[in-house]
Amino acid sequence: MISVRRASIDDLEALTAAYIAAWRAGFGQMFPAAVFMQDDFDRQRQAECRATLLDDKVDVHVADRDGHVVGFLGVVESHGVSEIVELWVHPHSWGSGAAQAMLAAIEDQHRNVGRTYLTAWLPEDSPRARRFFEKASWRPSGEIGKLEIYPNEPNRTFEYTRTLV
C-alpha cells in the first residue's frame, strides 16, 4: 500500500537513494556516461536532496510503500503559482502508483486551499515523465525553457500545466 506524507529529515537517506537511482535510470539517455561516472556524482545528488529537504520554500512529500520511502515530490509557490520542482521515484517502484499517489495528493491539497493551477517543467528527452504527466491530465503550455544542469549538455524543457477544478 502507498501512502503520502510530508517529508522529514529522517527521510534524507531514502530520498537520496531514490533520487540517485531515478536520475541514473531516467536521464541515462540524456547525458553521456561520463556524467554518471564523475567521482562526486552521488555526493552532488545527496547535497541536492538535502538542500531541497531543508529549503523552507519547498513543500516536500514522500511516497511510502509498505513502510519504505520510494519517492518524493517537491512543490514551490511563488507569485501565486505552484510549481512541482521535484518528482522522483526509485526505479524499483516505477509503475507502482507511487508517483500518481504523490501527484494526486498535491493536486488535492492545492485544490482544497483554493489553488486552481499547477505547473511543472519536464525535460524534452524524458518521454517517460512527459507520458506520465499527460496520462494524469496535464498538458503542455507551449512554453519552452532549458535544463542547464551540465552546460555542455543542454536540454530543452517543456512547461506542463494542470488546471484544478
Side-chain angles (χ1 to χ4, degrees):
M1 179 164 147
I2 297 171
S3 61
V4 177
R5 61 172 173 76
R6 277 216 160 74
S8 76
I9 194 67
D10 294 334
D11 298 316
L12 180 59
E13 187 176 328
L15 292 180
T16 301
Y19 184 51
I20 290 170
W23 224 98
R24 288 179 183 278
F27 288 170
Q29 81 289 351
M30 197 180 302
F31 299 107
V35 165
F36 302 96
M37 294 172 25
Q38 295 174 6
D39 290 340
D40 61 347
F41 179 84
D42 288 356
R43 199 169 44 255
Q44 285 178 351
R45 304 291 85 76
Q46 182 181 29
E48 291 166 9
C49 281
R50 184 176 198 76
T52 296
L53 194 55
L54 296 177
D55 188 336
D56 291 339
K57 295 177 185 140
V58 184
D59 187 16
V60 182
H61 289 72
V62 297
D64 185 297
R65 183 177 180 205
D66 301 324
H68 302 284
V69 171
V70 296
F72 68 101
L73 181 149
V75 179
V76 172
E77 293 188 38
S78 177
H79 301 60
V81 175
S82 298
E83 179 182 349
I84 295 175
V85 294
E86 306 286 355
L87 179 53
W88 301 93
V89 174
H90 195 289
H92 294 303
S93 293
W94 286 358
S96 70
Q100 293 91 332
M102 289 187 291
L103 192 59
I106 292 305
E107 289 176 357
D108 287 346
Q109 174 187 326
H110 283 74
R111 190 179 293 111
N112 291 339
V113 296
R115 295 276 187 199
T116 58
Y117 180 78
L118 283 166
T119 186
W121 287 87
L122 307 175
E124 177 178 26
D125 291 339
S126 185
R128 181 182 195 97
R130 292 175 50 211
R131 279 192 310 270
F132 167 77
F133 274 87
E134 289 171 3
K135 187 176 176 183
S137 298
W138 286 62
R139 297 294 174 251
S141 71
E143 293 295 317
I144 299 173
K146 281 195 175 183
L147 175 67
E148 297 185 22
I149 296 171
Y150 295 103
N152 296 334
E153 305 293 337
N155 282 268
R156 292 190 320 169
T157 58
F158 299 118
E159 182 186 48
Y160 274 65
T161 61
R162 173 86 159 110
T163 302
L164 305 173
V165 285

